[in-house]
């Protein structure tokens, strides 16, 4: 990886336990490095199964300058291709979402089947070898309905570790039998890492998220005990342990798995009790959807949080799932894509009210957007210098940053595979 | 041959004596005219200058010797009996047809051909009517041309609608002459319908096959007309069915097969193509279905074995398309009404089909169609 001496120094000299140096949030060169090293080489969460429920359904996603089309094939498998025609490179699918028979370039109608093979190209003569012009495929993994892609030639192999650990947690929620009740794309005027850092702590929750904390205990993500909250924390810990044991007896894995900074495909999960009615992340803690997910017979199953490095988090509940995907747009702009999923047979207005379903996270997202943008503004100031993370409430933020810096270092020390490939192709 | 007949003394003083094939069985070819790229008219005179008497629509029989084999062929006369000094037949090349090709390739001015007397009942002369409808296809135009020319020559401005079907505008036989007659006779109307445009992309007439709807459009009062039909067997069968469907009285319907070799060939082709097609679909099988392109306000006819896209292309309707194999989906349209037999290759999804979408490139009509395009 080619980076300037200055940036190499910033990576090498990052002060552990502290927020990142300002250039990590501002510098376009570091942004390009992020796209190449982080988003170009790791498993990126881009879609959910219900985005593409039927054969021929596709979604497109932009990662840096790359557009990827994720499509369900005729065998119901999920495939991903570079959204680039092998003729003269035109974009194949220009919509965010759609449905196709085959993938057809709108420019000259080169036609690819859903296996990426070029099956039709007019006027190309006898000697033209269609087999040499298949779509460029992108690695894709489907974890219990969460779709990840990897742009690297060799994707991180430890996705299997995450799959093995997470499948038992996620599968009971039946994401594959859900539908997207609502999707909201929010653009935050801030660096993607600030979005992620903000997500990895609940230090800010009590004061900033009145809607979210109606049901969510902020203690679940690390808290410093003090005389004023000792009783509450003790009560939460007792409740968590009790409920956790109860859920696990009922066949729902609940215990925390936290491997955020030790795996290349870092992740964390935990099922935590919810406040009030204890059923769902809603204003009253009751289910937002009368039709429960999977085979659930009871609603008070708390909230299962699942986080992945570098770009997603999800809340799985008994009645609905909220899924978040973070996609960087520029050094100081980030797309936060939120999807609310309910059982595919649930009827809007009857089994659920969309406003009630989305109230908590619509409000929370707006609040988080403001917080991220405040941070971004601060990072632009000459007075900004990395500040210390709370050892109690911000340990997981630190793990995100540790993972991030570690992945950059791994990239820095890796052989120059990309440039070698370029030379080989020129031969 | 006496080419100076025109200037011979006393030639114009009297009508010619009548030709009798019992007495004089040979005619001399006096002119060959190319009517279209594959149609020629052969004109004959008698060696002794006698004239021809016949009723418009009748045929003569040529007794030919081709490759040492005696072959008789009937050809309806295309010329007018009001011009008795010469007689003509108009012959279209038939692929593999021994006689038509021989005539085209060999018969030249000065050649003698054995011919039998005009005969036949297919003539307007014995079916008087105030209003006629002439329907012809291909070289089936000849007897009707003879009738038309006769009316014109006699200044009989009869109410005639003459609808001729051709493959392409370049295949219309006597197009200019019919136009001229229509220009000089107030009550004579001529209409052409071509299966496809061919070379003449700017041809303004309707394309497709003759259908009842097209007939109603071109001759709204056809039920009141004396109808004369000549063309290939499948064409005449289609017309019969069409008229039956309309409830047309058979006594006012007259048809003639115009050439046995053509008839035979085309009947064979038709029967092979149709196989065991049930009677009810026979009409459609022969006449095709109407395809209406609603937004572009175009109507075409598509054969039942023809893909809609192809029929549209042939008729000059431009539609977005590419692979023509049902793969790329470029020609996907909404079918507003009607049904098709679609054999696609992945260019369309079942749920799109369920929503009424079709790929025109791989769809054959099963009924009349209305397309949202």
């Amino acid at each position: 990886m080619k980076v300037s001496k200055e940036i190499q120094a910033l990576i090498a000299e990052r002060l552990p336990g502290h927020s990142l140096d300002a250039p990590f949030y501002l510098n376009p060169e570091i942004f390009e490095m992020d796209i190449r090293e982080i988003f170009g080489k790791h498993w990126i969460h881009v879609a959910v199964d219900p985005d593409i429920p039927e054969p021929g359904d596709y979604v497109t996603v932009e990662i840096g300058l790359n557009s990827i089309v994720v499509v369900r094939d005729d065998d119901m498998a999920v495939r991903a291709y570079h959204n680039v025609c092998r003729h003269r490179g035109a974009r194949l699918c220009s919509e965010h979402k759609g449905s196709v028979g085959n993938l057809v370039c709108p420019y000259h109608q080169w036609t690819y089947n859903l296996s990426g093979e070029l099956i039709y190209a007019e006027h190309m003569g006898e000697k033209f070898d269609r087999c040499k012009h298949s779509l460029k495929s992108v690695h894709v993994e489907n974890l219990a309905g969460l779709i990840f892609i990897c742009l690297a030639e060799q994707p991180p192999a430890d996705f299997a570790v995450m799959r093995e650990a997470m499948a038992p947690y996620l599968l009971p929620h039946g994401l594959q039998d859900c539908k997207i009740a609502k999707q909201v794309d929010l653009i935050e005027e801030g660096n993607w890492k600030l979005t992620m850092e903000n997500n990895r702590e609940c230090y800010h929750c009590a004061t900033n998220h009145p809607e979210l904390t109606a049901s969510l205990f902020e203690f679940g993500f690390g808290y410093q005990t003090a005389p004023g909250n000792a009783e509450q924390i003790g009560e939460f810990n007792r409740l968590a342990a009790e409920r956790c044991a109860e859920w696990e007896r009922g066949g729902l894995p609940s215990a925390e798995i936290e491997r955020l900074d030790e795996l290349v495909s870092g992740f964390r999960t935990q099922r935590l009790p919810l406040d009030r009615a204890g059923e769902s992340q809603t204003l009253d803690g009751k289910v937002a959807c009368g039709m429960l997910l999977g085979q659930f017979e009871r609603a008070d199953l708390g909230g299962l949080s699942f986080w992945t490095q570098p770009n997603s988090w999800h809340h799985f509940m008994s009645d609905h799932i909220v899924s978040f995907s973070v996609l960087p747009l520029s050094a100081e702009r980030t797309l936060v894509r939120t999807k609310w999923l309910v059982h595919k047979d649930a009827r809007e207005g009857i089994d659920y009210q969309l406003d009630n379903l989305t109230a908590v996270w619509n409000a929370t997202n707006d609040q988080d957007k403001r917080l991220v943008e405040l941070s971004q503004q601060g990072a632009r100031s000459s007075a900004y210098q990395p500040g210390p993370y709370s050892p109690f409430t911000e340990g997981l933020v630190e793990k995100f940053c540790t993972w991030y810096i570690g992945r950059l270092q791994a990239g820095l020390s890796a052989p120059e595979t990309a440039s070698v490939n370029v030379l080989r192709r020129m031969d | 041959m006496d080419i100076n007949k025109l200037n011979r003394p006393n030639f114009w003083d009297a009508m010619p004596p009548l030709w009798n094939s019992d007495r004089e069985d040979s005619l001399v070819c006096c002119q060959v005219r190319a009517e279209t790229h594959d149609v020629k008219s052969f004109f004959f005179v008698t060696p002794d200058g006698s004239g021809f008497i016949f009723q418009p629509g009748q045929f003569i029989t040529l007794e030919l010797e081709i490759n040492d084999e005696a072959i008789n062929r009937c050809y309806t006369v295309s010329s007018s009996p009001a011009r008795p000094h010469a007689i003509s037949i108009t012959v279209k090349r038939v692929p593999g047809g021994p006689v038509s090709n021989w005539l085209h390739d060999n018969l030249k001015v000065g050649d003698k051909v054995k011919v039998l007397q005009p005969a036949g009942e297919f003539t307007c002369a014995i079916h008087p009517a105030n209003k006629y409808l002439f329907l012809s296809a291909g070289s089936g135009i000849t007897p009707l041309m003879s009738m038309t020319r006769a009316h014109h020559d006699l200044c009989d401005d009869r109410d005639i609608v003459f609808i001729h079907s051709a493959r392409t505008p370049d295949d219309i036989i006597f197009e200019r002459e019919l136009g001229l007659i229509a220009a000089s006779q107030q009550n004579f109307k001529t209409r052409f319908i071509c299966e496809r445009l061919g070379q003449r992309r700017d041809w303004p007439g309707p394309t497709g096959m003759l259908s009842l709807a097209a007939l109603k459009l071109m001759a709204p009062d056809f039920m009141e007309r004396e109808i004369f039909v000549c063309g290939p067997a499948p064409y005449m069968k289609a017309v019969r069915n069409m008229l039956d469907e309309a409830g047309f009285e058979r006594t006012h319907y007259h048809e003639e097969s115009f050439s046995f070799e053509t008839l035979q060939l085309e009947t064979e082709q038709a029967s092979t193509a149709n196989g065991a097609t049930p009677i009810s679909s026979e009409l459609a099988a022969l006449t095709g279905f109407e395809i209406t392109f609603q937004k572009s306000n175009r109507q075409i006819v598509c054969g039942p074995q023809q893909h809609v896209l192809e029929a549209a292309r042939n008729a000059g309707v431009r539609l977005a398309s590419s692979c023509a194999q049902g793969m790329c989906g470029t020609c996907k349209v909404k079918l507003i009404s009607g049904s098709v037999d679609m054999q696609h290759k992945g260019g369309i999804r079942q749920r799109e089909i369920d929503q009424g979408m079709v790929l025109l490139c791989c769809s054959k009509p099963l009924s009349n169609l209305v397309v949202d395009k």
Side-chain angles (χ1 to χ4, degrees), chain A residues 301-312:
Chain A
L301 300 175
L304 174 72
S305 297
F306 175 43
W307 301 352
T308 71
Q309 308 284 43
N311 84 318
S312 83

Side-chain angles (χ1 to χ4, degrees), chain B residues 157-271:
Chain B
D157 189 7
R158 201 74 62 94
D159 185 342
I160 298 171
V161 176
F162 190 161
I163 301 174
H164 177 66
S165 297
R167 276 178 306 192
T168 75
D170 285 334
D171 290 299
I172 300 170
I173 306 166
F174 308 130
E175 182 186 11
R176 290 207 291 175
E177 186 179 343
L178 284 167
L180 187 68
I181 294 172
S184 54
Q185 301 264 109
Q186 196 145 25
N187 294 313
F188 178 83
K189 293 182 189 66
T190 183
R191 298 280 183 268
F192 305 111
I193 178 164
C194 292
E195 280 175 44
R196 54 180 193 274
L197 284 182
Q199 302 292 313
R200 274 165 64 184
R201 311 306 296 178
D202 60 341
W203 193 69
T207 47
M209 316 278 261
L210 185 65
S211 63
L212 188 55
L215 182 59
K216 283 178 180 165
L217 217 63
M218 293 187 274
D221 57 351
F222 74 95
M223 293 293 280
E224 303 160 17
R225 292 175 180 268
E226 196 76 15
I227 301 184
F228 285 80
V229 186
C230 186
Y235 166 82
M236 291 197 295
K237 188 169 188 180
V239 171
R240 272 199 308 276
N241 290 335
M242 208 181 290
L243 294 175
D244 284 351
E245 191 189 324
F248 188 80
E249 179 65 54
R250 276 278 177 118
T251 53
H252 297 290
Y253 172 87
H254 317 277
E255 67 173 34
E256 175 78 316
S257 359
F258 64 98
S259 158
F260 293 123
E261 70 181 351
T262 315
L263 172 67
Q264 227 162 5
L265 262 167
E266 301 205 15
T267 311
E268 278 162 24
Q269 284 166 359
S271 59

Side-chain angles (χ1 to χ4, degrees), chain B residues 103-176:
Chain B
L103 288 171
H104 269 254
D105 296 336
N106 295 286
L107 189 64
K108 55 187 189 301
V109 173
D111 287 353
K112 281 192 163 188
V113 178
K114 281 189 175 181
V115 179
L116 295 179
Q117 204 74 29
E121 310 269 287
F122 181 68
T123 168
C124 57
I126 56 171
H127 297 288
N130 290 325
K131 289 162 56 156
Y132 289 114
L133 172 62
F134 295 168
L135 296 174
S136 71
S139 53
I141 195 169
T142 53
L144 302 161
M145 192 63 191
S146 182
M147 298 183 207
T148 300
R149 283 167 164 165
H151 281 94
H152 186 224
D153 289 343
L154 296 178
C155 297
D156 182 336
D157 189 7
R158 201 74 62 94
D159 185 342
I160 298 171
V161 176
F162 190 161
I163 301 174
H164 177 66
S165 297
R167 276 178 306 192
T168 75
D170 285 334
D171 290 299
I172 300 170
I173 306 166
F174 308 130
E175 182 186 11
R176 290 207 291 175

